[in-house]
Amino acid sequence: MNTTIMLFLLQDGITNGAIYALLGLALVLVFAVTRVILIPQGEFVTYGALTYASLSSGQMPGTARLAVAMGIVAFCLDIFAGRRSLHRRLVGRAFAVNIVLPSVIFALTFWFAGRHPPIAISIALSLLIVAAIGLFLYRIAFQPIAHTSVLVLLIASVGCHLALQGFGLVFFGAEGQRGPTISDAAFTVGSLRFTGQSLAVYAITIAFIVGLWLFFGFTLTGKALRATAVNRLGARLVGIRTTLSGQIAFLLASVIGAISGILIVPITTLYYDTGFLIGLKGFIAAIIGGLVSYPLTAIAALVVGSVEAFSSFYASNFKEVIVFTLILPVLVLRSLAAPAVEEEKD
């Protein structure tokens, strides 16, 4: 170990930590608004990355068909839920969101898939596809049981993770893929070399943190989400649609996950199940942040990334063990410090 190696490891740790920060922020956002521990966050990473890689190689991603199928199921659920008060506006809105939107996305994807679209179009289509999947996932799996206990929501989250991982194997196969870099630019500072891809990771992470701060602090929708996170019953009493809040939270989480995957896939080869491990490291950062604090989650993610980088140098065989061990003292301290309270009943 010397200064140059230490700087390289620190740079690698910060780059990985920035990705974990994005995922940790998404997990905190979803849990605060819906009380769902979003285990499928890793699948959003995988779907975003491999959809982008498939489009860049001129292939039609199966995730576009999944979005259409989930939209049809969501439409049937909306019609069934509102069967006692059906009217044109309700049916029209449900048809537009659940049928027209994913169909348009599928048509655009089918049109561009065989034409090797530019990177910007591949990124945009990947984000649209994964965002639709995230939106419909909440509508199908979590909205009907939104008022149950955290344990029931966790069990549903595990089931969604297993189902989406299985679909990922069907759509993308067992072999890994890599996507094109967002930018080929590079420059050196001393002994360190910064690529355009790593700079994109830093810039997008900072932009998302600032954007979420502005969104929650200065927009009406963001304040409604904060109110839902504080007290779901009180939010409903003052006219906030907690169902819509949950949909927005899942939409943001899926977009953040897809962006994270798009940033990762040019750097390393991703497989259909790789996102789960990446999402778990974001989950560690979210747990250290108490599933409530965005700044603490971002700082914890940088620590997790740095520990992972140095562990890979000193004990590469035990890298994952060391990283996941970070969660143990945090859980012990929080269990000792937190008072015993009954779960809120809505």
Side-chain angles (χ1 to χ4, degrees), residues 222-233:
K223 292 178 180 179
L225 289 177
R226 289 173 57 192
T228 304
V230 172
N231 190 317
R232 291 178 61 86
L233 178 59

Side-chain angles (χ1 to χ4, degrees), residues 29 88 162:
L29 168 65
R88 289 185 179 179
L162 295 175

Side-chain angles (χ1 to χ4, degrees), residues 101-116:
L101 177 61
S103 299
V104 170
I105 295 174
F106 177 85
L108 290 174
T109 305
F110 184 79
W111 172 262
F112 284 107
R115 292 171 170 79
H116 293 277

Side-chain angles (χ1 to χ4, degrees), residues 188-346:
T188 58
V189 178
S191 58
L192 296 179
R193 184 175 185 271
F194 294 90
T195 63
Q197 191 69 26
S198 62
L199 293 178
V201 171
Y202 305 146
I204 291 176
T205 300
I206 294 173
F208 256 99
I209 292 174
V210 174
L212 287 175
W213 174 69
L214 294 174
F215 174 72
F216 285 107
F218 298 97
T219 66
L220 187 61
T221 303
K223 292 178 180 179
L225 289 177
R226 289 173 57 192
T228 304
V230 172
N231 190 317
R232 291 178 61 86
L233 178 59
R236 289 202 302 270
L237 291 176
V238 298
I240 296 175
R241 297 172 56 191
T242 55
T243 297
L244 181 60
S245 298
Q247 292 173 354
I248 294 174
F250 266 72
L251 183 66
L252 290 174
S254 60
V255 170
I256 292 173
I259 289 177
S260 301
I262 291 170
L263 292 175
I264 296 172
V265 74
I267 301 174
T268 183
T269 302
L270 291 187
Y271 299 83
Y272 75 96
D273 58 348
T274 306
F276 177 61
L277 190 60
I278 298 173
L280 279 182
K281 293 172 184 176
F283 177 71
I284 292 174
I287 289 294
I288 295 175
L291 287 171
V292 292
S293 173
Y294 295 102
L296 188 57
T297 298
I299 295 172
L302 296 178
V303 173
V304 170
S306 300
V307 169
E308 181 185 21
F310 282 92
S311 299
S312 65
F313 179 80
Y314 285 108
S316 59
N317 291 335
F318 302 98
K319 176 182 66 173
E320 308 298 348
V321 175
I322 294 172
V323 170
F324 291 123
T325 303
L326 292 174
I327 201 174
L328 295 180
V330 176
L331 292 177
V332 171
L333 291 175
R334 289 192 179 278
S335 65
L336 294 175
V341 294
E342 293 185 2
E343 184 179 349
E344 179 185 358
K345 303 292 184 181
D346 299 13

